[in-house]
Amino acid sequence: MARFAIVTSEEIPKQMPAAFRALLPEHDFALYPDLGAADAIDYAVAWKPPPGVLVGLKNLKAIFSFAAGVESFLSDPHMPRAVPIVRAVSDVSRATMSGYAMAQILRYHHKLDHYQRQQAERVWKKTMPREPAETTVTILGTGVLGADLAGRLLPFGFPVVGWSRNPKNIAGIRNLHGPASFDEAMKAGNIVVCLLPLTPQTKAILDARAFALMPAGGFVINMGRGMHVVAADLIAALDSGHLAGATLDVTEPEPLPPADPLWRHPKITITPHIAGLMPPRRIMQNMADTVRHCLKSGKFEHTADLDRGY
Amino acid sequence: MARFAIVTSEEIPKQMPAAFRALLPEHDFALYPDLGAADAIDYAVAWKPPPGVLVGLKNLKAIFSFAAGVESFLSDPHMPRAVPIVRAVSDVSRATMSGYAMAQILRYHHKLDHYQRQQAERVWKKTMPREPAETTVTILGTGVLGADLAGRLLPFGFPVVGWSRNPKNIAGIRNLHGPASFDEAMKAGNIVVCLLPLTPQTKAILDARAFALMPAGGFVINMGRGMHVVAADLIAALDSGHLAGATLDVTEPEPLPPADPLWRHPKITITPHIAGLMPPRRIMQNMADTVRHCLKSGKFEHTADLDRGY
């Protein structure tokens, strides 16, 4: 039996420890701040931890993050740096994120917004589509989520370009990496999907310069973090007619304040950070599966690197 | 060298014969009505043929249809019944049709219409999604297009039920067939996608009775023919709140007249029969590939059966 601490500064259901015990009856779960003896805690299940709490768990062997993005851990200056942070990127979260991206990509490709406007005018008129072969999708960030999306896009005939910090070798796509090839990735992308982690290097990466590199009529989908996009630059690129549209599932700040101009822009779709949203039951089930897999194999996969920032 | 007749009652580009000759330089193409000696024609490339024309081509070995649906041939009472009709269902047309269906299914699943309404009110609020595992997609018509769609849906975790006239054995889905199991297929489908051919048996198959069988909150996507759906029954099922929405890529008649109530229904999305729309260049390339494949192999696949009606 291992002892788990559930640690977060967010409000979470009081019944979560009991629910985890039901899923993993061989282990015990306590909810911060009622952790009992701190030294008896083996693992933490955490998200947005209150600073200084995790470092107090002296015998922690691993931290399981509820989210794929782990920047909320970086804001804790006392994070225990030797403890692996396992990111929650299950099969289901991949399918959910990829499904959201596919919905946006196919909506753009099949010109569904155009037909929606036509419907409002009761106009029956076909518009010739672009060839999938002439619609390149550039995926910024080709970790497990980006690689999953690439695999689902290829059977539709879209050429896919992947760009990441480190070299990748994803089958069927053009793999680019590093700052020197960022411009090439942007120039190729009729559709650019941002799945990057937020780091000092990727903050504001989608700015006026980046948008100008994209082919005219392009479409931007941000599923990373709000701070990846310079909102004023995006609005300018849409207003000039250079970009055709954008979907933002993440904004800065969140929630997006009612007065923010992004809300009302006719070429921008806003969703409230739901691309990876799963029912609580499913999130817990995924976490339980991940915990069971790691503890059984003794291997901690999909770990974050605090120095790298993701 | 074989001699081809391009036969249609629709207006088509005058340069089509030359374009086909460029794609298939080993063959010759003539455009109806300038066919020269009728007995010298080996094959027809056709869509909505003027009645009586094809039967006059005495030495016709096969007819290549520009479309997957061949009901336009059935209205010719003089169709040469011994000549195989090869339906155009290329890899690209499958990807196009499946892409359209996926766009609609994922839009419904990720509640994008709901978030679009929230955006208009500048509301940032998450709504819990259904589990993919609890969102069954029923595909009516599991020919090459339906089978292709099933294969793309399964990796998202949606259970898939297929229903067709004859028994099928598509991997990973529940295969149902025949009139006796139609009710079972409808009862299972949170999302019902119609890819049926139009026959006397399938005309008006989606009526009040069929909609009532679906689980509450269901979504209907018609990509078959307009006459598969009883429009008044669909509107009633949406107005009662039983169904959540519908997308109609096909209507009866087409174009849908401006006064038709389907245009203005808030829960109905209308697109002008574009789910399988491809650029003319791509359509001709597909046809050329199909012709080359059939003539080389000597086998005519995906043929329609005039007695069966598809």
Side-chain angles (χ1 to χ4, degrees), chain A residues 119 122 152 258 268 270 282, chain B residues 119 122 131 155 258 268 270:
Chain A
Q119 181 176 354
R122 292 179 280 186
R152 291 175 206 251
I268 294 177
I270 305 275
R282 168 61 66 184
Chain B
Q119 180 176 354
R122 292 178 280 186
E131 297 251 9
I268 293 177
I270 305 274

Side-chain angles (χ1 to χ4, degrees), chain B residues 141-200:
Chain B
T142 43
V144 284
L145 296 174
D148 181 274
L149 176 59
R152 291 174 205 252
L153 280 168
L154 290 172
F156 287 93
F158 299 112
V160 177
V161 172
W163 181 80
S164 53
R165 174 169 168 153
N166 297 309
K168 297 285 167 69
N169 194 16
I170 299 167
I173 79 168
R174 197 158 142 234
N175 293 278
L176 299 175
H177 75 277
S181 63
F182 176 74
D183 288 10
E184 196 179 341
M186 291 303 294
K187 279 178 193 166
N190 303 98
I191 300 171
V192 171
V193 184
C194 177
L195 287 169
L196 290 165
L198 187 64
T199 70

Side-chain angles (χ1 to χ4, degrees), chain A residues 126-144:
Chain A
K126 297 173 204 267
T127 301
M128 271 304 148
R130 288 173 68 95
E131 297 252 9
E134 292 169 359
T135 306
T136 296
V137 181
T138 289
I139 303 174
L140 304 176
T142 43
V144 285

Side-chain angles (χ1 to χ4, degrees), chain B residues 17-310:
Chain B
F20 266 121
R21 275 180 226 122
L23 287 165
L24 295 164
E26 64 275 34
H27 302 303
D28 191 39
F29 289 81
L31 180 60
Y32 173 82
D34 305 317
L35 298 181
D39 291 1
I41 301 291
D42 299 298
Y43 300 97
V45 171
W47 173 237
K48 295 191 184 170
V53 170
L54 291 172
V55 77
L57 309 177
K58 298 295 179 198
N59 294 315
L60 212 53
K61 296 178 191 73
I63 297 163
F64 294 90
S65 167
F66 266 118
V70 294
E71 73 274 13
S72 82
F73 291 96
L74 303 176
S75 55
D76 180 350
H78 306 294
M79 273 296 290
R81 300 189 87 83
V83 180
I85 302 174
V86 180
R87 298 157 63 217
V89 278
S90 65
D91 287 355
V92 174
S93 67
R94 287 175 220 186
T96 304
M97 291 284 280
S98 287
Y100 179 93
M102 292 295 297
Q104 301 299 333
I105 291 164
L106 292 170
R107 168 187 152 218
Y108 169 76
H109 183 64
H110 290 271
K111 302 182 191 290
L112 299 184
D113 287 5
H114 165 75
Y115 289 118
Q116 193 177 346
R117 289 189 295 271
Q118 272 197 183
Q119 180 176 354
E121 307 293 326
R122 292 178 280 186
V123 170
W124 182 281
K125 186 162 172 283
K126 298 172 203 265
T127 301
M128 270 303 149
R130 289 173 68 94
E131 297 251 9
E134 291 170 1
T135 305
T136 295
V137 181
T138 289
I139 302 174
L140 304 177
T142 43
V144 284
L145 296 174
D148 181 274
L149 176 59
R152 291 174 205 252
L153 280 168
L154 290 172
F156 287 93
F158 299 112
V160 177
V161 172
W163 181 80
S164 53
R165 174 169 168 153
N166 297 309
K168 297 285 167 69
N169 194 16
I170 299 167
I173 79 168
R174 197 158 142 234
N175 293 278
L176 299 175
H177 75 277
S181 63
F182 176 74
D183 288 10
E184 196 179 341
M186 291 303 294
K187 279 178 193 166
N190 303 98
I191 300 171
V192 171
V193 184
C194 177
L195 287 169
L196 290 165
L198 187 64
T199 70
Q201 290 77 38
T202 66
K203 189 178 165 180
I205 194 168
L206 293 174
D207 61 2
R209 201 186 142 275
F211 296 134
L213 293 168
M214 289 177 67
F219 190 72
V220 172
I221 302 167
N222 189 13
M223 301 167 66
R225 290 290 181 257
M227 282 200 277
H228 284 127
V229 169
V230 180
D233 291 1
L234 174 64
I235 289 172
L238 291 165
D239 286 345
S240 76
H242 179 61
L243 294 185
T247 291
L248 307 176
D249 185 52
V250 287
T251 60
E252 178 58 33
E254 292 180 11
L256 189 66
D260 196 292
L262 291 172
W263 279 120
R264 291 283 173 158
H265 199 285
K267 293 180 178 173
I268 293 177
T269 298
I270 305 274
T271 56
H273 204 146
I274 52 91
L277 193 64
M278 295 183 288
R281 186 160 58 97
R282 168 60 67 186
I283 295 172
M284 294 189 52
Q285 183 67 58
N286 281 333
M287 181 60 85
D289 291 347
T290 305
V291 165
R292 194 178 289 115
H293 175 77
C294 287
L295 267 58
K296 191 176 172 191
S297 70
K299 281 193 293 194
F300 297 99
E301 291 167 339
H302 306 311
T303 53
D305 179 328
L306 292 181
D307 294 321
R308 194 179 58 179
Y310 64 95

